[in-house]
Coordinates of all heavy atoms in Angstrom, one line a residue:
M5 N 127.9 109.7 77.4 CA 126.9 110.2 78.4 C 126.1 109.0 78.9 O 125.7 108.1 78.2 CB 126.0 111.2 77.7 CG 125.4 112.2 78.7 SD 124.3 113.4 77.9 CE 122.8 112.5 77.8
K6 N 125.8 109.1 80.2 CA 125.0 108.0 80.8 C 123.6 108.2 80.5 O 123.0 109.3 80.5 CB 125.2 108.0 82.3 CG 126.6 107.7 82.8 CD 126.6 107.3 84.3 CE 126.4 108.6 85.2 NZ 126.7 108.2 86.6
E7 N 122.9 107.1 80.2 CA 121.5 107.1 80.1 C 120.8 105.8 80.6 O 121.5 104.8 80.6 CB 121.0 107.5 78.7 CG 121.4 106.4 77.6 CD 120.9 106.8 76.2 OE1 120.9 108.0 75.9 OE2 120.5 105.8 75.5
C8 N 119.6 105.9 80.9 CA 118.8 104.7 81.4 C 118.7 103.7 80.3 O 118.2 104.0 79.2 CB 117.5 105.2 81.9 SG 116.5 103.8 82.5
W9 N 119.0 102.4 80.7 CA 118.9 101.3 79.7 C 117.5 101.1 79.3 O 117.2 100.8 78.1 CB 119.4 100.0 80.3 CG 119.2 98.8 79.5 CD1 120.0 98.5 78.4 CD2 118.2 97.9 79.6 NE1 119.5 97.3 77.9 CE2 118.4 96.9 78.5 CE3 117.1 97.7 80.4 CZ2 117.5 95.8 78.3 CZ3 116.2 96.7 80.2 CH2 116.5 95.7 79.2
L10 N 116.5 101.4 80.2 CA 115.1 101.1 79.9 C 114.4 102.2 79.2 O 113.7 101.9 78.2 CB 114.4 100.7 81.2 CG 113.0 100.2 81.1 CD1 113.0 98.9 80.3 CD2 112.4 99.9 82.5
C11 N 114.6 103.4 79.6 CA 113.8 104.5 79.0 C 114.6 105.6 78.4 O 114.1 106.5 77.7 CB 112.9 105.1 80.1 SG 113.8 106.2 81.3
G12 N 116.0 105.5 78.5 CA 116.8 106.5 77.8 C 116.9 107.9 78.5 O 117.6 108.7 78.0
R13 N 116.2 108.1 79.6 CA 116.4 109.3 80.3 C 117.8 109.5 80.9 O 118.5 108.5 81.1 CB 115.4 109.5 81.5 CG 114.0 109.7 81.0 CD 113.0 109.7 82.2 NE 111.7 110.1 81.9 CZ 110.8 109.4 81.3 NH1 111.1 108.1 80.9 NH2 109.6 109.9 81.0
N14 N 118.2 110.7 81.2 CA 119.6 111.0 81.5 C 119.8 111.1 83.0 O 120.9 111.5 83.4 CB 120.1 112.2 80.8 CG 119.5 113.5 81.2 OD1 118.7 113.5 82.1 ND2 119.7 114.5 80.5
G15 N 118.8 110.9 83.8 CA 119.0 111.0 85.3 C 118.9 112.4 85.9 O 119.2 112.5 87.1
S16 N 118.5 113.3 85.1 CA 118.5 114.7 85.7 C 117.4 114.9 86.7 O 117.5 115.6 87.7 CB 118.4 115.7 84.6 OG 117.2 115.5 83.8
F17 N 116.3 114.1 86.6 CA 115.2 114.2 87.6 C 115.2 113.0 88.6 O 115.0 113.1 89.7 CB 113.8 114.2 86.9 CG 113.6 115.5 86.1 CD1 113.7 115.5 84.8 CD2 113.3 116.7 86.8 CE1 113.6 116.7 84.1 CE2 113.2 117.9 86.1 CZ 113.3 117.9 84.7
D18 N 115.4 111.8 88.0 CA 115.5 110.6 88.8 C 116.9 110.0 88.6 O 117.2 109.5 87.6 CB 114.4 109.6 88.2 CG 114.1 108.4 89.1 OD1 114.8 108.2 90.1 OD2 113.2 107.6 88.7
P19 N 117.7 110.2 89.6 CA 119.1 109.8 89.4 C 119.4 108.4 89.0 O 118.6 107.5 89.4 CB 119.7 110.0 90.8 CG 118.8 110.9 91.6 CD 117.4 110.6 91.0
L20 N 120.4 108.2 88.1 CA 120.6 106.9 87.6 C 121.4 106.0 88.6 O 122.4 106.5 89.2 CB 121.5 107.0 86.3 CG 120.8 107.7 85.1 CD1 121.8 108.0 84.0 CD2 119.6 106.9 84.6
D21 N 121.0 104.8 88.7 CA 121.7 103.8 89.6 C 122.4 102.8 88.6 O 122.0 102.5 87.5 CB 120.7 102.9 90.3 CG 120.0 103.6 91.4 OD1 120.4 104.7 91.8 OD2 118.9 103.1 91.9
K22 N 123.5 102.3 89.1 CA 124.2 101.2 88.4 C 123.6 99.9 88.8 O 123.6 99.6 90.0 CB 125.7 101.3 88.7 CG 126.6 100.3 88.0 CD 128.0 100.6 88.3 CE 128.9 99.3 88.0 NZ 130.3 99.6 88.4
H23 N 123.1 99.1 87.9 CA 122.5 97.8 88.2 C 123.4 96.7 87.6 O 123.8 96.8 86.4 CB 121.1 97.8 87.7 CG 120.5 96.4 87.6 ND1 119.9 95.9 88.7 CD2 120.4 95.5 86.6 CE1 119.4 94.7 88.4 NE2 119.7 94.5 87.1
H24 N 123.6 95.7 88.4 CA 124.3 94.5 87.9 C 123.3 93.6 87.2 O 122.4 93.1 87.8 CB 125.1 93.7 89.0 CG 126.2 94.5 89.5 ND1 126.1 95.6 90.3 CD2 127.6 94.4 89.4 CE1 127.3 96.1 90.6 NE2 128.2 95.4 90.1
I25 N 123.6 93.3 85.9 CA 122.6 92.5 85.1 C 122.4 91.1 85.7 O 121.2 90.7 85.8 CB 123.0 92.4 83.6 CG1 123.1 93.8 83.0 CG2 122.1 91.5 82.9 CD1 123.6 93.8 81.6
F26 N 123.4 90.5 86.1 CA 123.3 89.2 86.8 C 123.7 89.4 88.2 O 124.9 89.6 88.5 CB 124.2 88.1 86.1 CG 123.8 88.0 84.6 CD1 124.6 88.6 83.6 CD2 122.7 87.4 84.2 CE1 124.3 88.6 82.3 CE2 122.3 87.3 82.8 CZ 123.2 87.9 81.9
G27 N 122.7 89.2 89.1 CA 123.0 89.5 90.5 C 123.3 88.3 91.4 O 123.7 87.3 90.8
H28 N 123.1 88.5 92.6 CA 123.3 87.4 93.6 C 124.7 86.8 93.5 O 125.7 87.6 93.5 CB 122.3 86.3 93.5 CG 120.9 86.9 93.5 ND1 120.3 87.4 94.7 CD2 119.9 87.1 92.6 CE1 119.1 87.8 94.4 NE2 118.9 87.6 93.2
T29 N 124.8 85.5 93.2 CA 126.2 84.9 93.2 C 126.9 85.3 91.9 O 128.2 85.1 91.9 CB 126.0 83.4 93.2 OG1 125.2 83.0 92.1 CG2 125.4 82.8 94.5
N30 N 126.3 85.9 90.9 CA 127.0 86.3 89.7 C 127.3 87.8 89.7 O 127.8 88.3 88.7 CB 126.1 86.0 88.5 CG 126.2 84.5 88.1 OD1 127.2 83.8 88.3 ND2 125.0 83.9 87.7
R31 N 127.1 88.4 90.8 CA 127.3 89.9 90.9 C 128.7 90.3 90.5 O 129.0 91.2 89.7 CB 126.9 90.4 92.2 CG 126.8 91.9 92.3 CD 126.5 92.3 93.8 NE 126.9 93.7 94.0 CZ 126.1 94.8 93.8 NH1 124.9 94.6 93.4 NH2 126.5 96.0 93.9
N32 N 129.7 89.5 91.1 CA 131.1 89.8 90.8 C 131.5 89.6 89.4 O 132.3 90.3 88.8 CB 132.0 89.0 91.8 CG 131.9 89.4 93.2 OD1 131.5 90.6 93.5 ND2 132.3 88.5 94.1
K33 N 130.9 88.5 88.8 CA 131.1 88.3 87.4 C 130.5 89.4 86.5 O 131.1 89.7 85.5 CB 130.6 86.9 87.0 CG 131.4 85.8 87.6 CD 130.9 84.4 87.2 CE 131.8 83.3 87.9 NZ 131.3 82.0 87.6
S34 N 129.4 89.9 86.9 CA 128.8 91.0 86.1 C 129.7 92.2 86.1 O 129.9 92.8 85.1 CB 127.4 91.4 86.8 OG 126.4 90.4 86.6
E35 N 130.3 92.4 87.3 CA 131.2 93.5 87.4 C 132.5 93.3 86.6 O 132.9 94.1 85.8 CB 131.6 93.7 88.9 CG 132.5 94.8 89.2 CD 131.8 96.2 89.1 OE1 130.6 96.3 89.5 OE2 132.5 97.2 88.6
K36 N 133.0 92.0 86.7 CA 134.2 91.7 85.9 C 134.1 91.8 84.4 O 135.0 92.3 83.7 CB 134.6 90.2 86.3 CG 135.7 89.6 85.5 CD 136.0 88.2 86.0 CE 136.9 87.4 85.1 NZ 137.0 86.0 85.4
Y37 N 132.9 91.4 83.9 CA 132.7 91.4 82.4 C 132.0 92.7 82.0 O 131.6 92.8 80.8 CB 131.9 90.2 82.0 CG 132.7 88.9 82.2 CD1 132.3 87.9 83.1 CD2 133.9 88.7 81.5 CE1 133.0 86.8 83.3 CE2 134.6 87.5 81.6 CZ 134.1 86.6 82.5 OH 134.8 85.4 82.7
G38 N 131.8 93.7 82.9 CA 131.2 94.9 82.5 C 129.7 94.8 82.1 O 129.2 95.5 81.3
L39 N 129.1 93.8 82.8 CA 127.6 93.6 82.5 C 126.8 94.4 83.5 O 126.1 93.8 84.4 CB 127.3 92.1 82.5 CG 128.2 91.3 81.5 CD1 127.9 89.8 81.7 CD2 127.8 91.7 80.1
T40 N 126.9 95.7 83.4 CA 126.1 96.6 84.2 C 125.4 97.6 83.3 O 125.8 97.9 82.2 CB 127.0 97.3 85.3 OG1 127.9 98.1 84.6 CG2 127.7 96.3 86.2
V41 N 124.3 98.1 83.8 CA 123.5 99.1 83.1 C 123.1 100.2 84.1 O 123.1 100.0 85.3 CB 122.3 98.6 82.4 CG1 122.6 97.7 81.2 CG2 121.3 97.9 83.4
F42 N 122.8 101.4 83.5 CA 122.2 102.5 84.4 C 120.7 102.4 84.2 O 120.2 102.2 83.2 CB 122.8 103.8 83.9 CG 124.2 104.0 84.3 CD1 125.2 103.9 83.3 CD2 124.6 104.2 85.6 CE1 126.6 104.0 83.7 CE2 126.0 104.3 86.0 CZ 126.9 104.2 85.0
L43 N 120.1 102.7 85.3 CA 118.6 102.7 85.4 C 118.1 103.8 86.3 O 118.8 104.1 87.3 CB 118.1 101.4 86.0 CG 118.3 100.1 85.1 CD1 118.1 98.9 86.0 CD2 117.3 100.1 83.9
C44 N 117.1 104.5 85.9 CA 116.5 105.6 86.7 C 116.2 104.9 88.1 O 115.5 103.9 88.2 CB 115.1 106.1 86.2 SG 115.3 106.7 84.5
H45 N 116.7 105.5 89.2 CA 116.6 104.9 90.5 C 115.1 104.5 90.8 O 114.9 103.3 91.2 CB 117.0 105.9 91.5 CG 116.8 105.5 92.9 ND1 117.5 104.5 93.5 CD2 115.8 105.8 93.8 CE1 117.0 104.3 94.8 NE2 116.0 105.1 95.0
D46 N 114.2 105.4 90.7 CA 112.8 105.1 91.2 C 112.0 104.4 90.1 O 111.5 103.3 90.3 CB 112.2 106.4 91.6 CG 110.9 106.1 92.3 OD1 110.8 105.3 93.2 OD2 109.8 106.7 91.8
R47 N 111.9 105.0 88.9 CA 111.0 104.6 87.9 C 111.4 103.3 87.2 O 110.6 102.4 87.0 CB 111.0 105.7 86.8 CG 110.3 105.4 85.5 CD 110.7 106.5 84.5 NE 110.1 106.3 83.2 CZ 108.9 106.8 82.9 NH1 108.3 107.6 83.7 NH2 108.4 106.5 81.7
C48 N 112.7 103.1 86.9 CA 113.1 101.9 86.1 C 113.9 100.9 86.9 O 114.1 99.7 86.4 CB 113.9 102.4 84.9 SG 113.0 103.5 83.8
H49 N 114.5 101.2 88.0 CA 115.3 100.3 88.8 C 114.4 99.6 89.8 O 114.3 98.3 89.8 CB 116.5 101.0 89.4 CG 117.5 100.1 90.0 ND1 118.3 100.5 91.0 CD2 117.8 98.8 89.8 CE1 119.1 99.5 91.3 NE2 118.8 98.4 90.6
L50 N 113.8 100.4 90.7 CA 113.2 99.7 91.9 C 111.7 99.7 92.0 O 111.1 98.7 92.4 CB 113.7 100.4 93.2 CG 115.2 100.3 93.4 CD1 115.6 101.1 94.6 CD2 115.7 98.9 93.4
N51 N 111.0 100.8 91.6 CA 109.6 101.0 92.1 C 108.6 101.1 91.0 O 107.4 100.8 91.2 CB 109.5 102.2 93.0 CG 110.3 102.0 94.2 OD1 110.4 101.0 94.8 ND2 111.1 103.1 94.5
G52 N 109.0 101.4 89.8 CA 108.0 101.6 88.7 C 107.3 100.3 88.2 O 107.8 99.2 88.5
E53 N 106.2 100.4 87.5 CA 105.5 99.3 87.0 C 106.4 98.3 86.2 O 106.3 97.1 86.3 CB 104.4 99.7 86.1 CG 103.4 98.6 85.7 CD 102.3 99.1 84.8 OE1 102.1 100.3 84.6 OE2 101.6 98.2 84.2
Y54 N 107.4 99.0 85.4 CA 108.3 98.2 84.6 C 109.7 98.1 85.1 O 110.6 97.7 84.5 CB 108.3 98.8 83.2 CG 107.0 98.8 82.5 CD1 106.2 99.9 82.4 CD2 106.4 97.6 82.0 CE1 104.9 99.9 81.9 CE2 105.2 97.5 81.5 CZ 104.4 98.7 81.4 OH 103.2 98.7 80.8
A55 N 109.9 98.5 86.4 CA 111.2 98.5 87.0 C 111.7 97.1 87.0 O 111.0 96.1 87.3 CB 111.1 99.0 88.4
V56 N 113.0 96.9 86.8 CA 113.6 95.6 86.7 C 113.4 94.7 87.9 O 113.3 93.5 87.8 CB 115.1 95.6 86.3 CG1 115.4 96.0 84.9 CG2 116.0 96.3 87.3
H57 N 113.5 95.3 89.1 CA 113.4 94.5 90.3 C 111.9 94.2 90.6 O 111.6 93.6 91.6 CB 114.1 95.2 91.5 CG 115.5 95.1 91.4 ND1 116.3 94.0 91.6 CD2 116.5 96.1 91.1 CE1 117.6 94.2 91.5 NE2 117.7 95.5 91.1
R58 N 110.9 94.7 89.9 CA 109.5 94.5 90.1 C 108.9 93.7 89.0 O 107.8 93.1 89.2 CB 108.8 95.8 90.3 CG 109.1 96.4 91.6 CD 108.0 97.4 92.0 NE 106.7 96.8 91.9 CZ 105.6 97.5 91.8 NH1 105.6 98.8 91.8 NH2 104.4 96.9 91.8
N59 N 109.5 93.8 87.8 CA 108.8 93.2 86.6 C 109.6 92.1 86.0 O 110.7 92.3 85.5 CB 108.6 94.4 85.6 CG 107.7 94.0 84.4 OD1 108.1 93.1 83.7 ND2 106.6 94.7 84.2
A60 N 109.1 90.9 86.0 CA 109.8 89.7 85.6 C 110.1 89.8 84.1 O 111.2 89.3 83.7 CB 109.0 88.5 85.9
Q61 N 109.3 90.4 83.3 CA 109.5 90.5 81.9 C 110.7 91.5 81.6 O 111.5 91.2 80.7 CB 108.2 91.1 81.2 CG 107.9 90.4 79.9 CD 106.6 90.8 79.4 OE1 105.6 91.1 80.1 NE2 106.5 90.9 78.1
T62 N 110.7 92.6 82.3 CA 111.9 93.5 82.1 C 113.1 92.8 82.5 O 114.2 92.9 81.8 CB 111.7 94.8 83.0 OG1 110.4 95.4 82.7 CG2 112.8 95.8 82.7
M63 N 113.1 92.1 83.6 CA 114.3 91.3 84.1 C 114.7 90.3 83.0 O 115.9 90.2 82.7 CB 113.9 90.6 85.4 CG 115.1 90.0 86.1 SD 116.4 91.2 86.6 CE 116.1 91.4 88.4
Q64 N 113.8 89.6 82.4 CA 114.1 88.7 81.4 C 114.8 89.4 80.2 O 115.8 88.9 79.6 CB 112.9 87.9 80.9 CG 113.0 87.0 79.7 CD 114.1 85.9 79.9 OE1 114.3 85.5 81.0 NE2 114.6 85.4 78.8
M65 N 114.2 90.5 79.7 CA 114.7 91.3 78.6 C 116.2 91.7 78.9 O 117.0 91.6 78.0 CB 113.9 92.6 78.4 CG 112.8 92.5 77.5 SD 111.8 94.0 77.6 CE 113.0 95.3 77.4
L66 N 116.4 92.1 80.1 CA 117.7 92.6 80.5 C 118.7 91.4 80.6 O 119.9 91.5 80.2 CB 117.7 93.3 81.9 CG 119.0 94.0 82.3 CD1 119.6 94.9 81.2 CD2 118.7 94.8 83.6
H67 N 118.3 90.3 81.1 CA 119.1 89.1 81.1 C 119.5 88.7 79.7 O 120.7 88.3 79.4 CB 118.4 87.9 81.8 CG 118.5 88.0 83.3 ND1 117.5 87.5 84.1 CD2 119.3 88.7 84.1 CE1 117.8 87.7 85.4 NE2 118.9 88.5 85.4
E68 N 118.6 88.7 78.8 CA 118.8 88.4 77.4 C 119.9 89.4 76.8 O 120.8 88.9 76.1 CB 117.6 88.4 76.5 CG 116.7 87.2 76.7 CD 115.4 87.3 75.8 OE1 115.6 87.8 74.7 OE2 114.4 86.8 76.2
Y69 N 119.6 90.6 77.0 CA 120.5 91.7 76.5 C 122.0 91.4 77.1 O 122.9 91.5 76.3 CB 120.0 93.0 77.0 CG 121.0 94.2 76.9 CD1 121.3 94.8 75.7 CD2 121.8 94.5 78.0 CE1 122.2 95.8 75.6 CE2 122.7 95.6 77.9 CZ 122.9 96.2 76.7 OH 123.9 97.2 76.6
G70 N 122.0 91.1 78.4 CA 123.3 90.9 79.0 C 124.0 89.7 78.5 O 125.3 89.7 78.3
Q71 N 123.3 88.6 78.2 CA 123.9 87.4 77.7 C 124.4 87.6 76.3 O 125.5 87.2 76.0 CB 122.9 86.2 77.7 CG 123.5 85.0 77.2 CD 122.7 83.7 77.4 OE1 121.7 83.7 78.1 NE2 123.1 82.6 76.7
R72 N 123.6 88.3 75.4 CA 124.1 88.6 74.1 C 125.3 89.4 74.1 O 126.3 89.2 73.3 CB 123.0 89.2 73.3 CG 121.8 88.3 72.9 CD 120.8 88.9 72.0 NE 119.5 88.2 72.1 CZ 119.3 87.1 71.5 NH1 120.2 86.5 70.8 NH2 118.1 86.5 71.6
K73 N 125.3 90.4 75.0 CA 126.5 91.4 75.1 C 127.7 90.6 75.5 O 128.8 90.7 74.9 CB 126.2 92.4 76.1 CG 127.2 93.5 76.3 CD 126.6 94.6 77.2 CE 127.5 95.9 77.2 NZ 128.7 95.7 78.0
A74 N 127.6 89.7 76.5 CA 128.7 88.9 77.0 C 129.2 88.0 75.9 O 130.4 87.9 75.7 CB 128.3 88.1 78.2
M75 N 128.3 87.3 75.2 CA 128.7 86.3 74.2 C 129.4 87.1 73.0 O 130.5 86.6 72.5 CB 127.5 85.6 73.6 CG 126.9 84.6 74.6 SD 125.3 83.9 74.2 CE 125.7 83.1 72.6
E76 N 129.0 88.2 72.7 CA 129.6 89.0 71.6 C 131.0 89.5 72.1 O 131.9 89.3 71.3 CB 128.7 90.2 71.3 CG 129.0 90.9 70.0 CD 128.1 92.0 69.7 OE1 126.9 91.8 69.8 OE2 128.6 93.1 69.5
E77 N 131.0 90.1 73.2 CA 132.3 90.7 73.7 C 133.3 89.7 74.0 O 134.5 89.9 73.9 CB 132.0 91.6 74.8 CG 131.2 92.9 74.4 CD 130.9 93.8 75.5 OE1 131.2 93.5 76.7 OE2 130.3 94.9 75.2
Q78 N 132.9 88.5 74.6 CA 133.9 87.5 75.0 C 134.1 86.4 74.0 O 134.9 85.5 74.1 CB 133.4 86.8 76.3 CG 133.1 87.8 77.5 CD 134.2 88.7 77.8 OE1 135.3 88.4 77.8 NE2 133.8 90.0 78.2
G79 N 133.3 86.4 72.9 CA 133.3 85.4 71.9 C 132.8 84.1 72.4 O 133.3 83.0 71.9
W80 N 131.9 84.1 73.3 CA 131.4 82.8 73.9 C 130.2 82.3 73.1 O 129.4 83.0 72.5 CB 130.8 83.1 75.3 CG 131.9 83.4 76.3 CD1 133.2 83.0 76.3 CD2 131.6 84.0 77.6 NE1 133.8 83.4 77.5 CE2 132.9 84.0 78.3 CE3 130.5 84.6 78.2 CZ2 133.0 84.6 79.5 CZ3 130.6 85.1 79.4 CH2 131.9 85.1 80.1
T81 N 130.1 80.9 73.1 CA 128.9 80.3 72.7 C 127.9 80.3 73.8 O 128.3 80.6 75.0 CB 129.2 78.8 72.3 OG1 129.7 78.1 73.5 CG2 130.2 78.7 71.2
I82 N 126.7 79.8 73.6 CA 125.7 79.7 74.6 C 126.2 78.8 75.8 O 126.0 79.1 77.0 CB 124.3 79.2 74.1 CG1 123.7 80.3 73.3 CG2 123.4 78.7 75.2 CD1 122.3 79.9 72.6
E83 N 126.8 77.7 75.3 CA 127.3 76.7 76.3 C 128.4 77.4 77.2 O 128.4 77.2 78.4 CB 127.9 75.6 75.5 CG 128.0 74.3 76.3 CD 126.8 73.9 77.0 OE1 125.7 74.0 76.4 OE2 126.8 73.6 78.3
E84 N 129.3 78.2 76.6 CA 130.3 78.8 77.4 C 129.7 79.9 78.3 O 130.2 80.0 79.5 CB 131.4 79.5 76.4 CG 132.3 78.4 75.8 CD 133.1 79.0 74.6 OE1 132.6 79.8 73.8 OE2 134.3 78.6 74.5
F85 N 128.7 80.6 77.9 CA 128.0 81.5 78.8 C 127.4 80.7 80.0 O 127.6 81.1 81.1 CB 126.9 82.3 78.1 CG 126.2 83.2 79.0 CD1 126.7 84.5 79.2 CD2 125.1 82.8 79.7 CE1 126.0 85.4 80.1 CE2 124.4 83.7 80.6 CZ 124.9 84.9 80.8
R86 N 126.8 79.6 79.7 CA 126.1 78.8 80.7 C 127.2 78.3 81.7 O 126.9 78.3 82.9 CB 125.4 77.6 80.1 CG 124.3 77.1 80.9 CD 124.0 75.6 80.6 NE 123.8 75.5 79.1 CZ 122.7 75.6 78.5 NH1 121.6 75.9 79.1 NH2 122.6 75.4 77.2
N87 N 128.4 77.9 81.2 CA 129.4 77.5 82.1 C 129.8 78.6 83.1 O 130.1 78.3 84.3 CB 130.7 77.0 81.4 CG 130.4 75.7 80.6 OD1 129.5 74.9 81.0 ND2 131.2 75.4 79.6
E88 N 129.8 79.8 82.6 CA 130.3 80.9 83.5 C 129.2 81.4 84.4 O 129.5 81.7 85.6 CB 130.8 82.0 82.5 CG 131.5 83.2 83.2 CD 132.9 82.8 83.8 OE1 133.4 81.6 83.5 OE2 133.5 83.6 84.5
F89 N 128.0 81.5 83.9 CA 126.9 82.1 84.7 C 125.8 81.2 85.2 O 124.9 81.6 85.8 CB 126.2 83.2 83.9 CG 127.1 84.5 83.8 CD1 128.0 84.7 82.8 CD2 126.9 85.5 84.8 CE1 128.8 85.8 82.8 CE2 127.7 86.6 84.8 CZ 128.6 86.8 83.8
G90 N 126.0 79.9 84.9 CA 125.1 78.9 85.5 C 123.9 78.6 84.7 O 123.3 77.5 84.9
K91 N 123.4 79.5 83.8 CA 122.3 79.1 83.0 C 122.2 80.1 81.8 O 122.9 81.1 81.8 CB 120.9 79.2 83.7 CG 120.5 80.6 84.1 CD 119.1 80.6 84.8 CE 118.0 80.7 83.7 NZ 116.6 81.0 84.4
S92 N 121.5 79.6 80.8 CA 121.3 80.5 79.6 C 119.9 81.1 79.7 O 118.9 80.5 80.1 CB 121.4 79.6 78.3 OG 121.0 80.4 77.2
Y93 N 119.8 82.4 79.3 CA 118.6 83.1 79.3 C 118.0 83.3 77.9 O 116.9 84.0 77.8 CB 118.8 84.5 79.9 CG 119.3 84.4 81.4 CD1 120.6 84.4 81.7 CD2 118.4 84.4 82.4 CE1 121.1 84.2 83.0 CE2 118.8 84.3 83.7 CZ 120.2 84.2 84.0 OH 120.6 84.1 85.3
L94 N 118.6 82.7 76.9 CA 118.1 82.9 75.6 C 117.1 81.8 75.2 O 117.1 80.7 75.7 CB 119.2 82.8 74.6 CG 120.3 83.9 74.8 CD1 121.4 83.8 73.7 CD2 119.7 85.3 74.7
Ligands
ZN29 ZN1 119.5 96.5 90.7
ZN30 ZN1 114.6 105.0 83.1

């Protein structure tokens, strides 16, 4: 079942969006390695106080989560992650 990465809601009131953890030039790589999460469209994705696109701390938390997930799933070191995504967030 889908749920919001940030608050755990299931999208029944505020529909869930798919967000790419590493955006911009790394968007395709996020897709390739399955580094995406669901977020409540309004509250947790775009407009809320803690929404990832508005709150630098939430964005940092999500980048850390994504990097650890990628390193675990791909068996990468920090250096290997950096080679693929351009920087380390840890
Ligand atoms: Zn997004
Ligand atoms: Zn949420």
Side-chain angles (χ1 to χ4, degrees):
M5 205 179 87
K6 292 195 291 188
E7 62 177 37
C8 175
W9 175 81
L10 188 59
C11 75
R13 285 174 172 79
N14 66 8
S16 57
F17 293 103
D18 190 356
L20 296 171
D21 292 343
K22 181 174 159 182
H23 167 83
H24 290 73
I25 299 178
F26 304 101
H28 308 288
T29 55
N30 284 323
R31 192 181 160 91
N32 289 340
K33 290 183 183 175
S34 290
E35 184 72 38
K36 174 179 169 188
Y37 294 115
L39 302 173
T40 59
V41 291
F42 291 104
L43 293 163
C44 305
H45 171 75
D46 189 52
R47 172 194 178 93
C48 301
H49 190 203
L50 299 178
N51 302 314
E53 187 182 349
Y54 299 103
V56 291
H57 287 288
R58 289 199 52 199
N59 187 301
Q61 221 172 326
T62 307
M63 189 61 101
Q64 172 63 24
M65 268 170 51
L66 185 53
H67 282 155
E68 284 183 33
Y69 164 83
Q71 179 170 350
R72 289 184 200 284
K73 185 171 191 285
M75 287 170 61
E76 194 181 306
E77 290 177 358
Q78 309 303 324
W80 288 339
T81 61
I82 288 176
E83 203 48 48
E84 287 168 319
F85 178 87
R86 203 201 313 269
N87 289 340
E88 190 70 5
F89 283 88
K91 72 175 268 194
S92 171
Y93 298 89
L94 301 181

